[in-house]
Amino acid sequence: MVAQRLDGKACAASVEDELHDRISACRSAGVEPHLSVVIVGDDPASHVYVNSKVKACERLGIKSTHISLPEDSTESEVREVIQRLNDDTSLHGILVQSPLPSHMDEEALTDLIHPGKDVDGFHPENLGRLVQGRLDGMLPCTPSGVMRMLQWAGIDLSGKQAVVLGRSRIVGNPQALLLGAKGADATVTIVHSRTNNAQAVCAQADIVVAAIGRPEMVRADWIKSGAVVVDVGINRVDDDSRERGWRLAGDVHPEVAQKAAWLSPVPGGVGPMTIAMLMENTVRAAEHVVAQ
Ligand code: NDP
């Protein structure tokens, strides 16, 4: 068996297509969707991510403001920027690019973002709504992008055994909640670093979502024949055969393509979906203002 490709790039393009009309409707109502992205420091990967988000805004005609602060900014300076953006009624989404420099309390700062402008979906109010099974708010972009991609591919989750590898606040935990939510209806197991025999647990699953940040750890013998495998991992690994000396690797080994029915590629899988869902959350926030 060779797995079908869960093509996040194509799915993201279809999400963007659907957003065009919604953005036009906002504009007609006098509201220009506007995302503000805050980045602190010089982490090169973060700058690449921010540029992709700004480019997506440009493609869609969403206004974007890019605020870049020096690495040695204080936490209270970042706090002031967030407060100013919260008070600015001309913008609808605020994103603080992770990671922040180590001298800052990242969770405390993202908690300051107004929940209605929290387009990353990390505010306790938005995550709390998800825990309550209310899926109409700001959902975290990566897990909701995974759900959209599975739906787009016509993969039925109802009654299936799903394993989520990882339990982070931004990916693993919300992913497990979304897979097990009413409407999706999978039966979900979470695997984390203390799980006994993760391989055997994973090998029972019809659906596997890997979000552990361990390059190519999920091998073919972790996967049931015909399973659906979504690779969230983005890891840089050394590769002397490349001019730049590294390549991107997921959390899933490429040999899994010989066993799974579906597999999302890295890059070109979950990454573009995360950005597409960020755009959708920004449009949703602007629509909320139109409706007021
Ligand atoms: P975190 O480091 O926050 O969480 C990793 C999770 O994996 C933890 O819950 C940890 O368990 C678990 N884990 C680590 N090692 C093992 C192991 N050997 N066996 C089982 N579980 C393990 O990572 P994130 O959730 O932020 O990100 C995960 C991956 O997804 C990364 O590669 C990241 O780059 C990528 N990512 C990709 C995005 C995209 O757009 N495609 C967006 C966000 C992230 P424990 O809790 O016990 O420590």
mmCIF file of all heavy atoms in Angstrom, residues 49 122 141-143 165-173 190-195 198 210-215 217 222 231-235 249-251 266 269-275, ligand 1:
data_model
loop_
_atom_site.group_PDB
_atom_site.id
_atom_site.type_symbol
_atom_site.label_atom_id
_atom_site.label_comp_id
_atom_site.label_asym_id
_atom_site.label_seq_id
_atom_site.Cartn_x
_atom_site.Cartn_y
_atom_site.Cartn_z
ATOM 1 N N TYR A 49 8.046 32.129 9.739
ATOM 2 C CA TYR A 49 6.617 31.881 9.995
ATOM 3 C C TYR A 49 5.814 33.171 9.866
ATOM 4 O O TYR A 49 4.743 33.202 9.261
ATOM 5 C CB TYR A 49 6.396 31.294 11.397
ATOM 6 C CG TYR A 49 6.944 29.900 11.579
ATOM 7 C CD1 TYR A 49 7.557 29.519 12.769
ATOM 8 C CD2 TYR A 49 6.857 28.948 10.567
ATOM 9 C CE1 TYR A 49 8.077 28.238 12.944
ATOM 10 C CE2 TYR A 49 7.365 27.665 10.735
ATOM 11 C CZ TYR A 49 7.979 27.318 11.919
ATOM 12 O OH TYR A 49 8.484 26.059 12.089
ATOM 13 N N PHE A 122 -5.436 30.607 21.913
ATOM 14 C CA PHE A 122 -4.725 30.089 23.088
ATOM 15 C C PHE A 122 -5.219 30.698 24.407
ATOM 16 O O PHE A 122 -4.768 30.303 25.481
ATOM 17 C CB PHE A 122 -3.208 30.375 22.999
ATOM 18 C CG PHE A 122 -2.525 29.743 21.829
ATOM 19 C CD1 PHE A 122 -1.320 30.259 21.360
ATOM 20 C CD2 PHE A 122 -3.057 28.618 21.201
ATOM 21 C CE1 PHE A 122 -0.662 29.674 20.285
ATOM 22 C CE2 PHE A 122 -2.398 28.033 20.120
ATOM 23 C CZ PHE A 122 -1.204 28.564 19.665
ATOM 24 N N CYS A 141 -5.276 27.096 15.815
ATOM 25 C CA CYS A 141 -5.192 26.950 14.351
ATOM 26 C C CYS A 141 -4.661 25.589 13.885
ATOM 27 O O CYS A 141 -5.170 25.028 12.912
ATOM 28 C CB CYS A 141 -4.289 28.050 13.796
ATOM 29 S SG CYS A 141 -4.916 29.686 14.158
ATOM 30 N N THR A 142 -3.640 25.060 14.550
ATOM 31 C CA THR A 142 -3.067 23.792 14.054
ATOM 32 C C THR A 142 -4.064 22.637 14.217
ATOM 33 O O THR A 142 -4.363 21.943 13.237
ATOM 34 C CB THR A 142 -1.720 23.504 14.755
ATOM 35 O OG1 THR A 142 -0.831 24.581 14.425
ATOM 36 C CG2 THR A 142 -1.117 22.196 14.293
ATOM 37 N N PRO A 143 -4.613 22.419 15.424
ATOM 38 C CA PRO A 143 -5.568 21.305 15.528
ATOM 39 C C PRO A 143 -6.826 21.498 14.683
ATOM 40 O O PRO A 143 -7.332 20.532 14.094
ATOM 41 C CB PRO A 143 -5.923 21.249 17.013
ATOM 42 C CG PRO A 143 -5.115 22.258 17.702
ATOM 43 C CD PRO A 143 -4.288 23.011 16.739
ATOM 44 N N LEU A 165 -0.412 11.883 19.601
ATOM 45 C CA LEU A 165 0.911 11.842 20.239
ATOM 46 C C LEU A 165 1.266 13.267 20.632
ATOM 47 O O LEU A 165 1.467 14.121 19.766
ATOM 48 C CB LEU A 165 1.945 11.297 19.260
ATOM 49 C CG LEU A 165 1.746 9.849 18.809
ATOM 50 C CD1 LEU A 165 2.551 9.563 17.545
ATOM 51 C CD2 LEU A 165 2.153 8.889 19.888
ATOM 52 N N GLY A 166 1.318 13.542 21.925
ATOM 53 C CA GLY A 166 1.612 14.891 22.424
ATOM 54 C C GLY A 166 0.403 15.454 23.148
ATOM 55 O O GLY A 166 -0.749 15.146 22.796
ATOM 56 N N ARG A 167 0.661 16.261 24.190
ATOM 57 C CA ARG A 167 -0.436 16.833 24.992
ATOM 58 C C ARG A 167 -0.181 18.309 25.280
ATOM 59 O O ARG A 167 -0.472 18.806 26.360
ATOM 60 C CB ARG A 167 -0.592 16.053 26.297
ATOM 61 C CG ARG A 167 0.675 16.011 27.130
ATOM 62 C CD ARG A 167 0.471 15.351 28.473
ATOM 63 N NE ARG A 167 1.751 15.081 29.114
ATOM 64 C CZ ARG A 167 1.894 14.468 30.276
ATOM 65 N NH1 ARG A 167 0.842 14.066 30.936
ATOM 66 N NH2 ARG A 167 3.094 14.267 30.786
ATOM 67 N N SER A 168 0.432 19.019 24.315
ATOM 68 C CA SER A 168 0.731 20.428 24.569
ATOM 69 C C SER A 168 -0.556 21.252 24.562
ATOM 70 O O SER A 168 -1.590 20.840 24.032
ATOM 71 C CB SER A 168 1.711 20.971 23.525
ATOM 72 O OG SER A 168 1.068 21.091 22.282
ATOM 73 N N ARG A 169 -0.426 22.447 25.146
ATOM 74 C CA ARG A 169 -1.559 23.383 25.225
ATOM 75 C C ARG A 169 -1.989 23.831 23.837
ATOM 76 O O ARG A 169 -3.168 24.081 23.595
ATOM 77 C CB ARG A 169 -1.089 24.595 26.051
ATOM 78 C CG ARG A 169 -2.085 25.687 26.286
ATOM 79 C CD ARG A 169 -1.456 26.760 27.158
ATOM 80 N NE ARG A 169 -0.277 27.351 26.537
ATOM 81 C CZ ARG A 169 -0.220 28.552 25.977
ATOM 82 N NH1 ARG A 169 -1.288 29.324 25.978
ATOM 83 N NH2 ARG A 169 0.883 29.009 25.429
ATOM 84 N N ILE A 170 -1.014 23.918 22.906
ATOM 85 C CA ILE A 170 -1.353 24.517 21.614
ATOM 86 C C ILE A 170 -1.682 23.492 20.531
ATOM 87 O O ILE A 170 -2.333 23.815 19.560
ATOM 88 C CB ILE A 170 -0.249 25.483 21.116
ATOM 89 C CG1 ILE A 170 1.063 24.741 20.887
ATOM 90 C CG2 ILE A 170 -0.043 26.611 22.081
ATOM 91 C CD1 ILE A 170 2.095 25.607 20.156
ATOM 92 N N VAL A 171 -1.224 22.248 20.699
ATOM 93 C CA VAL A 171 -1.519 21.241 19.660
ATOM 94 C C VAL A 171 -2.198 19.997 20.259
ATOM 95 O O VAL A 171 -3.386 19.747 20.024
ATOM 96 C CB VAL A 171 -0.271 20.816 18.857
ATOM 97 C CG1 VAL A 171 -0.697 19.947 17.672
ATOM 98 C CG2 VAL A 171 0.535 22.002 18.361
ATOM 99 N N GLY A 172 -1.445 19.203 21.022
ATOM 100 C CA GLY A 172 -1.930 17.873 21.410
ATOM 101 C C GLY A 172 -3.254 17.886 22.151
ATOM 102 O O GLY A 172 -4.206 17.189 21.754
ATOM 103 N N ASN A 173 -3.336 18.672 23.229
ATOM 104 C CA ASN A 173 -4.568 18.657 24.027
ATOM 105 C C ASN A 173 -5.787 19.127 23.248
ATOM 106 O O ASN A 173 -6.804 18.430 23.212
ATOM 107 C CB ASN A 173 -4.387 19.501 25.296
ATOM 108 C CG ASN A 173 -4.168 18.615 26.507
ATOM 109 O OD1 ASN A 173 -4.663 17.486 26.543
ATOM 110 N ND2 ASN A 173 -3.438 19.106 27.473
ATOM 111 N N ILE A 190 -4.575 9.801 24.408
ATOM 112 C CA ILE A 190 -3.420 10.709 24.316
ATOM 113 C C ILE A 190 -2.163 9.960 24.771
ATOM 114 O O ILE A 190 -2.159 9.331 25.831
ATOM 115 C CB ILE A 190 -3.632 11.943 25.216
ATOM 116 C CG1 ILE A 190 -4.857 12.742 24.762
ATOM 117 C CG2 ILE A 190 -2.392 12.828 25.214
ATOM 118 C CD1 ILE A 190 -5.183 13.936 25.639
ATOM 119 N N VAL A 191 -1.139 10.048 23.954
ATOM 120 C CA VAL A 191 0.161 9.463 24.297
ATOM 121 C C VAL A 191 1.123 10.612 24.612
ATOM 122 O O VAL A 191 1.158 11.604 23.887
ATOM 123 C CB VAL A 191 0.701 8.630 23.105
ATOM 124 C CG1 VAL A 191 2.175 8.293 23.299
ATOM 125 C CG2 VAL A 191 -0.116 7.352 22.933
ATOM 126 N N HIS A 192 1.863 10.477 25.722
ATOM 127 C CA HIS A 192 2.833 11.516 26.081
ATOM 128 C C HIS A 192 4.128 10.861 26.525
ATOM 129 O O HIS A 192 4.273 9.626 26.410
ATOM 130 C CB HIS A 192 2.243 12.440 27.165
ATOM 131 C CG HIS A 192 1.623 11.693 28.285
ATOM 132 N ND1 HIS A 192 2.372 11.032 29.218
ATOM 133 C CD2 HIS A 192 0.313 11.452 28.590
ATOM 134 C CE1 HIS A 192 1.570 10.436 30.075
ATOM 135 N NE2 HIS A 192 0.301 10.664 29.711
ATOM 136 N N SER A 193 5.041 11.642 27.068
ATOM 137 C CA SER A 193 6.389 11.099 27.328
ATOM 138 C C SER A 193 6.394 10.052 28.441
ATOM 139 O O SER A 193 7.365 9.322 28.586
ATOM 140 C CB SER A 193 7.360 12.232 27.648
ATOM 141 O OG SER A 193 7.012 12.830 28.867
ATOM 142 N N ARG A 194 5.354 9.971 29.234
ATOM 143 C CA ARG A 194 5.299 8.975 30.312
ATOM 144 C C ARG A 194 4.433 7.767 29.945
ATOM 145 O O ARG A 194 4.214 6.892 30.782
ATOM 146 C CB ARG A 194 4.721 9.603 31.599
ATOM 147 C CG ARG A 194 5.475 10.820 32.097
ATOM 148 C CD ARG A 194 6.893 10.404 32.511
ATOM 149 N NE ARG A 194 7.689 11.563 32.868
ATOM 150 C CZ ARG A 194 7.843 12.001 34.107
ATOM 151 N NH1 ARG A 194 7.238 11.403 35.097
ATOM 152 N NH2 ARG A 194 8.594 13.038 34.360
ATOM 153 N N THR A 195 3.923 7.727 28.739
ATOM 154 C CA THR A 195 3.069 6.602 28.333
ATOM 155 C C THR A 195 3.908 5.331 28.227
ATOM 156 O O THR A 195 4.986 5.342 27.633
ATOM 157 C CB THR A 195 2.425 6.902 26.959
ATOM 158 O OG1 THR A 195 1.638 8.085 27.081
ATOM 159 C CG2 THR A 195 1.547 5.760 26.482
ATOM 160 N N ALA A 198 4.311 3.309 24.031
ATOM 161 C CA ALA A 198 3.600 4.192 23.091
ATOM 162 C C ALA A 198 3.406 3.515 21.737
ATOM 163 O O ALA A 198 2.359 3.673 21.089
ATOM 164 C CB ALA A 198 4.386 5.487 22.920
ATOM 165 N N ALA A 210 0.483 12.986 15.030
ATOM 166 C CA ALA A 210 1.770 13.031 15.730
ATOM 167 C C ALA A 210 2.204 14.470 15.927
ATOM 168 O O ALA A 210 2.419 15.207 14.959
ATOM 169 C CB ALA A 210 2.818 12.261 14.930
ATOM 170 N N ALA A 211 2.336 14.881 17.195
ATOM 171 C CA ALA A 211 2.752 16.257 17.529
ATOM 172 C C ALA A 211 3.671 16.205 18.731
ATOM 173 O O ALA A 211 3.318 16.627 19.828
ATOM 174 C CB ALA A 211 1.529 17.126 17.803
ATOM 175 N N ILE A 212 4.869 15.671 18.529
ATOM 176 C CA ILE A 212 5.798 15.472 19.639
ATOM 177 C C ILE A 212 7.120 16.222 19.464
ATOM 178 O O ILE A 212 7.874 16.371 20.407
ATOM 179 C CB ILE A 212 6.100 13.963 19.870
ATOM 180 C CG1 ILE A 212 6.336 13.247 18.547
ATOM 181 C CG2 ILE A 212 4.994 13.314 20.659
ATOM 182 C CD1 ILE A 212 6.645 11.768 18.675
ATOM 183 N N GLY A 213 7.422 16.659 18.254
ATOM 184 C CA GLY A 213 8.692 17.352 18.042
ATOM 185 C C GLY A 213 9.891 16.421 18.134
ATOM 186 O O GLY A 213 10.959 16.821 18.600
ATOM 187 N N ARG A 214 9.710 15.161 17.719
ATOM 188 C CA ARG A 214 10.799 14.172 17.701
ATOM 189 C C ARG A 214 10.943 13.661 16.265
ATOM 190 O O ARG A 214 10.099 12.883 15.802
ATOM 191 C CB ARG A 214 10.487 12.974 18.623
ATOM 192 C CG ARG A 214 10.290 13.338 20.070
ATOM 193 C CD ARG A 214 11.648 13.479 20.760
ATOM 194 N NE ARG A 214 11.491 13.834 22.166
ATOM 195 C CZ ARG A 214 11.509 15.086 22.636
ATOM 196 N NH1 ARG A 214 11.660 16.096 21.822
ATOM 197 N NH2 ARG A 214 11.370 15.316 23.934
ATOM 198 N N PRO A 215 12.016 14.098 15.563
ATOM 199 C CA PRO A 215 12.103 13.788 14.132
ATOM 200 C C PRO A 215 11.957 12.302 13.796
ATOM 201 O O PRO A 215 12.710 11.479 14.304
ATOM 202 C CB PRO A 215 13.493 14.298 13.728
ATOM 203 C CG PRO A 215 14.071 14.994 14.909
ATOM 204 C CD PRO A 215 13.144 14.862 16.052
ATOM 205 N N MET A 217 10.200 9.857 14.604
ATOM 206 C CA MET A 217 10.124 8.837 15.663
ATOM 207 C C MET A 217 9.056 7.782 15.364
ATOM 208 O O MET A 217 9.194 6.618 15.751
ATOM 209 C CB MET A 217 9.826 9.504 17.008
ATOM 210 C CG MET A 217 10.079 8.586 18.185
ATOM 211 S SD MET A 217 9.773 9.397 19.755
ATOM 212 C CE MET A 217 8.086 8.938 20.041
ATOM 213 N N TRP A 222 4.747 1.274 14.122
ATOM 214 C CA TRP A 222 3.847 1.964 15.060
ATOM 215 C C TRP A 222 2.434 2.071 14.459
ATOM 216 O O TRP A 222 1.510 2.511 15.147
ATOM 217 C CB TRP A 222 4.315 3.397 15.325
ATOM 218 C CG TRP A 222 5.529 3.554 16.170
ATOM 219 C CD1 TRP A 222 6.744 2.960 16.005
ATOM 220 C CD2 TRP A 222 5.654 4.397 17.323
ATOM 221 N NE1 TRP A 222 7.609 3.379 16.974
ATOM 222 C CE2 TRP A 222 6.972 4.262 17.799
ATOM 223 C CE3 TRP A 222 4.783 5.263 17.987
ATOM 224 C CZ2 TRP A 222 7.437 4.955 18.916
ATOM 225 C CZ3 TRP A 222 5.244 5.957 19.090
ATOM 226 C CH2 TRP A 222 6.555 5.803 19.556
ATOM 227 N N ASP A 231 0.918 14.211 10.264
ATOM 228 C CA ASP A 231 2.217 14.563 10.830
ATOM 229 C C ASP A 231 2.270 16.065 11.085
ATOM 230 O O ASP A 231 2.362 16.873 10.152
ATOM 231 C CB ASP A 231 3.314 14.150 9.826
ATOM 232 C CG ASP A 231 4.711 14.240 10.420
ATOM 233 O OD1 ASP A 231 4.848 14.730 11.549
ATOM 234 O OD2 ASP A 231 5.654 13.802 9.734
ATOM 235 N N VAL A 232 2.203 16.435 12.359
ATOM 236 C CA VAL A 232 2.226 17.863 12.718
ATOM 237 C C VAL A 232 3.671 18.353 12.883
ATOM 238 O O VAL A 232 3.956 19.531 12.713
ATOM 239 C CB VAL A 232 1.443 18.101 14.036
ATOM 240 C CG1 VAL A 232 1.478 19.567 14.446
ATOM 241 C CG2 VAL A 232 -0.011 17.653 13.888
ATOM 242 N N GLY A 233 4.578 17.446 13.157
ATOM 243 C CA GLY A 233 5.947 17.830 13.529
ATOM 244 C C GLY A 233 6.661 18.650 12.472
ATOM 245 O O GLY A 233 6.524 18.402 11.268
ATOM 246 N N ILE A 234 7.397 19.638 12.930
ATOM 247 C CA ILE A 234 8.305 20.396 12.054
ATOM 248 C C ILE A 234 9.644 20.443 12.781
ATOM 249 O O ILE A 234 9.768 21.107 13.811
ATOM 250 C CB ILE A 234 7.813 21.830 11.796
ATOM 251 C CG1 ILE A 234 6.427 21.829 11.153
ATOM 252 C CG2 ILE A 234 8.800 22.585 10.908
ATOM 253 C CD1 ILE A 234 5.885 23.223 10.867
ATOM 254 N N ASN A 235 10.596 19.678 12.288
ATOM 255 C CA ASN A 235 11.896 19.589 12.960
ATOM 256 C C ASN A 235 13.002 19.844 11.939
ATOM 257 O O ASN A 235 12.928 19.356 10.809
ATOM 258 C CB ASN A 235 12.087 18.173 13.526
ATOM 259 C CG ASN A 235 10.893 17.707 14.359
ATOM 260 O OD1 ASN A 235 10.684 18.196 15.462
ATOM 261 N ND2 ASN A 235 10.096 16.786 13.825
ATOM 262 N N ALA A 249 12.075 17.782 8.803
ATOM 263 C CA ALA A 249 11.552 16.430 8.989
ATOM 264 C C ALA A 249 10.326 16.506 9.878
ATOM 265 O O ALA A 249 10.241 17.346 10.778
ATOM 266 C CB ALA A 249 12.611 15.544 9.648
ATOM 267 N N GLY A 250 9.375 15.646 9.629
ATOM 268 C CA GLY A 250 8.205 15.551 10.502
ATOM 269 C C GLY A 250 8.494 14.647 11.685
ATOM 270 O O GLY A 250 9.639 14.229 11.914
ATOM 271 N N ASP A 251 7.443 14.327 12.441
ATOM 272 C CA ASP A 251 7.569 13.372 13.546
ATOM 273 C C ASP A 251 7.372 11.938 13.046
ATOM 274 O O ASP A 251 7.558 10.987 13.794
ATOM 275 C CB ASP A 251 6.516 13.677 14.626
ATOM 276 C CG ASP A 251 6.816 14.962 15.375
ATOM 277 O OD1 ASP A 251 7.968 15.435 15.306
ATOM 278 O OD2 ASP A 251 5.897 15.494 16.039
ATOM 279 N N VAL A 266 5.393 16.593 5.169
ATOM 280 C CA VAL A 266 6.089 17.728 5.810
ATOM 281 C C VAL A 266 7.269 18.093 4.910
ATOM 282 O O VAL A 266 8.123 17.242 4.667
ATOM 283 C CB VAL A 266 6.620 17.344 7.207
ATOM 284 C CG1 VAL A 266 7.413 18.513 7.813
ATOM 285 C CG2 VAL A 266 5.499 16.947 8.138
ATOM 286 N N GLY A 269 1.799 19.892 4.498
ATOM 287 C CA GLY A 269 0.643 19.244 5.118
ATOM 288 C C GLY A 269 -0.040 20.179 6.103
ATOM 289 O O GLY A 269 -0.795 21.080 5.728
ATOM 290 N N VAL A 270 0.281 19.986 7.387
ATOM 291 C CA VAL A 270 -0.392 20.762 8.445
ATOM 292 C C VAL A 270 0.038 22.237 8.440
ATOM 293 O O VAL A 270 -0.756 23.119 8.778
ATOM 294 C CB VAL A 270 -0.115 20.103 9.820
ATOM 295 C CG1 VAL A 270 -0.748 20.905 10.942
ATOM 296 C CG2 VAL A 270 -0.652 18.674 9.829
ATOM 297 N N GLY A 271 1.280 22.516 8.027
ATOM 298 C CA GLY A 271 1.785 23.901 8.059
ATOM 299 C C GLY A 271 0.870 24.881 7.319
ATOM 300 O O GLY A 271 0.408 25.873 7.913
ATOM 301 N N PRO A 272 0.577 24.644 6.024
ATOM 302 C CA PRO A 272 -0.312 25.575 5.312
ATOM 303 C C PRO A 272 -1.714 25.649 5.917
ATOM 304 O O PRO A 272 -2.361 26.700 5.875
ATOM 305 C CB PRO A 272 -0.386 24.985 3.892
ATOM 306 C CG PRO A 272 0.730 24.009 3.778
ATOM 307 C CD PRO A 272 1.133 23.595 5.148
ATOM 308 N N MET A 273 -2.172 24.527 6.525
ATOM 309 C CA MET A 273 -3.508 24.549 7.149
ATOM 310 C C MET A 273 -3.526 25.459 8.374
ATOM 311 O O MET A 273 -4.520 26.130 8.646
ATOM 312 C CB MET A 273 -3.917 23.128 7.571
ATOM 313 C CG MET A 273 -4.269 22.213 6.437
ATOM 314 S SD MET A 273 -5.489 22.919 5.323
ATOM 315 C CE MET A 273 -6.900 23.178 6.396
ATOM 316 N N THR A 274 -2.414 25.480 9.117
ATOM 317 C CA THR A 274 -2.346 26.341 10.304
ATOM 318 C C THR A 274 -2.523 27.805 9.886
ATOM 319 O O THR A 274 -3.274 28.563 10.522
ATOM 320 C CB THR A 274 -0.978 26.144 11.004
ATOM 321 O OG1 THR A 274 -0.886 24.785 11.429
ATOM 322 C CG2 THR A 274 -0.821 27.048 12.202
ATOM 323 N N ILE A 275 -1.872 28.171 8.799
ATOM 324 C CA ILE A 275 -1.970 29.566 8.343
ATOM 325 C C ILE A 275 -3.378 29.852 7.817
ATOM 326 O O ILE A 275 -3.964 30.901 8.104
ATOM 327 C CB ILE A 275 -0.890 29.851 7.286
ATOM 328 C CG1 ILE A 275 0.483 29.765 7.965
ATOM 329 C CG2 ILE A 275 -1.092 31.229 6.648
ATOM 330 C CD1 ILE A 275 1.652 29.955 7.054
HETATM 331 P P1 NDP B 1 5.717 20.546 22.815
HETATM 332 O O1 NDP B 1 7.177 20.345 23.001
HETATM 333 O O2 NDP B 1 5.030 21.642 23.531
HETATM 334 O O3 NDP B 1 4.965 19.182 23.232
HETATM 335 C C1 NDP B 1 5.472 17.947 22.825
HETATM 336 C C2 NDP B 1 4.590 16.848 23.401
HETATM 337 O O4 NDP B 1 5.111 15.601 22.942
HETATM 338 C C3 NDP B 1 4.572 16.801 24.910
HETATM 339 O O5 NDP B 1 3.261 16.586 25.347
HETATM 340 C C4 NDP B 1 5.478 15.621 25.253
HETATM 341 O O6 NDP B 1 5.071 14.898 26.394
HETATM 342 C C5 NDP B 1 5.282 14.735 24.041
HETATM 343 N N1 NDP B 1 6.466 13.907 23.823
HETATM 344 C C6 NDP B 1 7.747 14.322 23.689
HETATM 345 N N2 NDP B 1 8.559 13.261 23.496
HETATM 346 C C7 NDP B 1 7.771 12.169 23.495
HETATM 347 C C8 NDP B 1 8.018 10.796 23.351
HETATM 348 N N3 NDP B 1 9.258 10.311 23.160
HETATM 349 N N4 NDP B 1 6.976 9.938 23.401
HETATM 350 C C9 NDP B 1 5.722 10.389 23.595
HETATM 351 N N5 NDP B 1 5.425 11.710 23.747
HETATM 352 C C10 NDP B 1 6.439 12.579 23.701
HETATM 353 O O7 NDP B 1 5.494 20.635 21.247
HETATM 354 P P2 NDP B 1 4.291 21.288 20.405
HETATM 355 O O8 NDP B 1 3.017 20.611 20.736
HETATM 356 O O9 NDP B 1 4.363 22.750 20.451
HETATM 357 O O10 NDP B 1 4.765 20.865 18.920
HETATM 358 C C11 NDP B 1 4.897 19.518 18.526
HETATM 359 C C12 NDP B 1 5.488 19.472 17.132
HETATM 360 O O11 NDP B 1 4.592 20.099 16.235
HETATM 361 C C13 NDP B 1 6.818 20.212 16.957
HETATM 362 O O12 NDP B 1 7.606 19.538 16.009
HETATM 363 C C14 NDP B 1 6.408 21.564 16.424
HETATM 364 O O13 NDP B 1 7.431 22.183 15.666
HETATM 365 C C15 NDP B 1 5.257 21.159 15.548
HETATM 366 N N6 NDP B 1 4.286 22.222 15.297
HETATM 367 C C16 NDP B 1 3.861 22.365 14.021
HETATM 368 C C17 NDP B 1 2.925 23.312 13.704
HETATM 369 C C18 NDP B 1 2.461 23.419 12.282
HETATM 370 O O14 NDP B 1 1.899 24.437 11.908
HETATM 371 N N7 NDP B 1 2.660 22.382 11.464
HETATM 372 C C19 NDP B 1 2.382 24.231 14.708
HETATM 373 C C20 NDP B 1 2.820 23.936 16.052
HETATM 374 C C21 NDP B 1 3.748 22.967 16.316
HETATM 375 P P3 NDP B 1 5.076 15.514 27.895
HETATM 376 O O15 NDP B 1 3.862 16.387 27.964
HETATM 377 O O16 NDP B 1 4.976 14.321 28.764
HETATM 378 O O17 NDP B 1 6.361 16.273 28.022
#
